């Protein structure tokens, strides 16, 4: 009798388990938190990484070959336009400038001598011309001979030739003086190039040379930037860069955590073939007190807002190659592909695939499309 009851109890237990399993499989619907999709607006924020840069970056070099004698600036220094940054050894250029100046002064003296000679030759020609006219008058009256007249004509011709030679000499001396003056200007310019001065107000970010180094034209001595024109060179994906316009406000977050206001200053129209990104330069509205060129930063460009069906970002997931959400329809979860629009980090605008009023599952992880569910509203987003 006891054995019979044991069998009955065992069969009863199995029946209960089968019933529970059947209920679980065919009738049980676990509760899931849902929210109704609704019409709304989502701020259009375009995000991208970047680095701090300056719109104006200058390499300070020399225009003549020479040895660096002394440096008056170092990296990290703020300098003003025209400030002396370095000096080259000017022994040779100073000597050449002095020699050229002396040659220019000597050529001026030569001009003065040639001018005096021309004045004398002009006076001799005027005297010979006066004598010729007087002798010509008395020759007509028969008071002097033909030989005397011929001598007066020869004297006039000689005086005229002397004046022409003196004028030519003066012209040559003037040309020599002009060339000497140009040589003096050139020598002074070369000597001035031994003084390396700041081309603008700015910050020296790199010093590439030391005292005693031999530098040549084009070799960098300093690198400096204009700190009044700082921006962040930001990389923006080409799929969203169409929303960006010059003048749009932005928020710049430096790696140290400080946030500063910015503004889109320039949009590069050349896309990187590898990353499919474009450079967008976002200028600082307030220059940070502490910064470093090439410092990493994150930029959020506030590109307006978009109307549409709004859902929580947590409801989105990827199934296969499609992005979408799970909606509750007739007590079952159903995958719904959606085409998304802008997102503010918490909410997303669904441009296609959803209608306002549909129940969207907030946390779809672990829920399969087609499974029974029981929608529960008011869950955390």
């Amino acid at each position: 009798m006891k054995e019979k009851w044991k069998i009955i109890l065992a069969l009863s237990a199995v029946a209960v388990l089968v019933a529970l399993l059947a209920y679980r499989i065919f009738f049980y619907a676990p509760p899931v938190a849902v929210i109704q999709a609704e019409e709304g607006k989502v701020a259009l924020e375009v995000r991208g990484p970047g680095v701090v840069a300056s719109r104006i970056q200058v390499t300070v070099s020399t225009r003549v070959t020479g040895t660096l004698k002394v440096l008056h600036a170092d990296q990290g220094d703020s300098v003003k336009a025209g400030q002396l940054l370095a000096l080259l050894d000017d022994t040779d250029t100073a000597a050449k400038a002095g020699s050229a100046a002396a040659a220019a002064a000597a050529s001026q003296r030569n001009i003065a001598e040639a001018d005096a000679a021309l004045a004398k030759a002009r006076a001799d020609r005027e005297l010979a011309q006066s004598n010729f006219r007087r002798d010509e008058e008395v020759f007509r009256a028969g008071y002097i001979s033909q030989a005397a007249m011929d001598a007066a004509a020869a004297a006039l011709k000689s005086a005229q030739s002397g004046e022409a030679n003196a004028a030519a000499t003066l012209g040559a001396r003037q040309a020599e003086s002009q060339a000497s003056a140009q040589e003096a200007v050139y020598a002074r310019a070369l000597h001035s190039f031994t003084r390396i001065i700041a081309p603008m107000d700015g910050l020296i970010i790199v010093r590439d040379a030391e005292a005693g180094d031999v530098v040549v034209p084009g070799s960098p001595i300093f690198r400096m930037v204009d700190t009044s024109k700082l921006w962040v060179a930001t990389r923006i994906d080409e799929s969203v860069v169409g929303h960006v316009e010059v003048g749009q406000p932005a928020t710049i977050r430096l790696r140290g955590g400080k946030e500063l206001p910015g503004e889109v200053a320039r949009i590069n129209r050349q896309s990187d073939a590898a990353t499919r990104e474009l450079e967008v330069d976002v200028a600082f509205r307030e220059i940070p007190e502490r910064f470093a060129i090439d410092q990493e930063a994150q930029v959020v460009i506030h590109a307006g807002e978009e109307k549409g069906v709004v859902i929580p970002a947590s409801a989105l997931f990827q199934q296969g190659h499609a992005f979408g959400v799970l909606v509750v329809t007739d007590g079952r979860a159903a995958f719904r592909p959606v085409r998304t629009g802008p997102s503010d980090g918490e909410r997303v605008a669904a441009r296609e695939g959803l209608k306002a009023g549909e129940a969207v599952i907030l946390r779809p992880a672990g829920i399969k499309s087609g499974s029974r569910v029981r929608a529960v509203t008011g869950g955390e987003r």
Side-chain angles (χ1 to χ4, degrees):
M1 189 69 177
K2 290 182 180 181
E3 294 296 328
K4 182 179 180 180
W5 280 107
K6 288 181 180 180
I7 294 173
I8 292 172
L9 289 174
L11 291 174
S12 299
V14 171
V16 170
L17 289 174
V18 170
L20 289 174
L21 183 59
Y23 173 77
R24 181 75 177 181
I25 295 174
F26 298 105
F27 301 102
Y28 176 71
V32 292
V34 299
I35 187 172
Q36 283 192 337
E38 58 185 10
E39 294 284 348
K41 296 178 180 178
V42 176
L44 180 55
E45 295 182 344
V46 178
R47 301 168 181 265
V51 294
V52 177
S54 175
R55 185 168 190 167
I56 300 177
Q57 303 189 43
V58 174
T59 297
V60 181
S61 183
T62 176
R63 299 177 67 177
V64 293
T65 300
T67 302
L68 274 174
K69 186 176 181 180
V70 62
L71 294 168
H72 292 288
D74 199 356
Q75 57 192 39
D77 291 347
S78 294
V79 298
K80 296 290 185 180
Q83 181 176 330
L84 180 64
L85 302 181
L87 281 174
L88 300 181
D89 185 345
D90 64 348
T91 304
D92 291 342
T93 56
K96 291 177 180 177
S99 176
S107 66
Q108 289 295 319
R109 291 193 296 271
N110 291 339
I111 287 177
E113 293 175 1
D115 192 48
L118 177 60
K120 181 179 182 303
R122 186 176 292 117
D124 291 344
R125 188 264 304 161
E126 290 174 353
L127 177 61
Q129 191 170 24
S130 176
N131 291 337
F132 176 79
R133 289 173 182 169
R134 186 181 61 251
D135 288 349
E136 191 176 32
E137 291 177 359
V138 297
F139 174 72
R140 291 194 189 103
Y143 293 112
I144 61 173
S145 64
Q146 181 64 47
M149 189 63 215
D150 291 342
L156 175 58
K157 187 174 182 180
S158 177
Q160 290 173 334
S161 177
E163 181 184 17
N165 288 336
T169 300
L170 177 61
R173 296 293 180 266
Q174 288 174 333
E176 291 172 358
S177 177
Q178 186 175 10
S180 297
Q182 292 296 327
E183 288 291 335
V185 169
Y186 178 65
R188 286 197 303 272
L190 286 180
H191 185 245
S192 71
F193 294 157
T194 61
R195 294 171 55 86
I196 311 300
I197 61 173
M200 63 180 184
D201 294 352
L203 175 72
I204 294 177
I205 58 173
V206 177
R207 187 187 74 191
D208 286 316
E210 300 291 342
D213 288 350
V214 176
V215 291
V216 298
S219 62
I221 300 175
F222 299 101
R223 290 186 175 90
M224 60 182 300
V225 297
D226 185 346
T227 55
S228 68
K229 294 179 173 58
L230 285 181
W231 60 24
V232 175
T234 311
R235 300 186 302 278
I236 301 297
D237 192 273
E238 62 185 15
S239 64
V240 295
V241 77
H243 298 293
V244 180
E245 296 180 4
V246 172
Q248 287 175 336
T251 300
I252 301 170
R253 183 180 178 86
L254 299 178
R255 189 167 186 180
K258 188 174 182 60
E259 288 190 356
L260 294 165
E263 180 179 300
V264 177
R266 186 174 68 180
I267 302 172
N268 194 329
R269 297 302 178 185
Q270 177 66 47
S271 179
D272 188 294
T275 64
R276 310 318 304 176
E277 294 173 332
L278 287 81
E279 180 179 315
V280 175
D281 299 315
V282 178
F284 288 91
R285 286 182 176 172
E286 301 173 7
I287 302 303
E289 294 180 2
R290 294 179 179 273
F291 69 91
I293 298 299
D294 291 334
Q295 178 181 0
E296 291 183 351
Q298 291 289 329
V299 171
V300 178
I301 300 171
H302 307 292
E305 58 185 17
E306 183 172 314
K307 295 180 179 180
V309 177
V310 179
I311 56 174
S314 62
L316 277 172
F317 71 102
Q318 186 174 359
Q319 181 172 295
H321 297 290
F323 279 92
V325 297
L326 288 177
V327 297
V328 178
T329 303
D330 297 330
R332 293 184 180 275
F335 180 72
R336 185 72 58 78
V338 296
R339 188 170 71 89
T340 59
S343 172
D344 60 9
E346 295 183 358
R347 302 183 306 158
V348 179
R351 291 173 174 166
E352 294 179 2
L354 273 181
K355 295 180 180 179
E358 292 190 280
V360 178
I361 297 177
L362 284 173
R363 291 174 292 277
I367 302 174
K368 294 183 178 181
S369 179
S371 62
R372 290 181 178 274
V373 293
R374 179 167 55 87
V376 178
T377 58
E380 294 183 359
R381 301 188 183 189

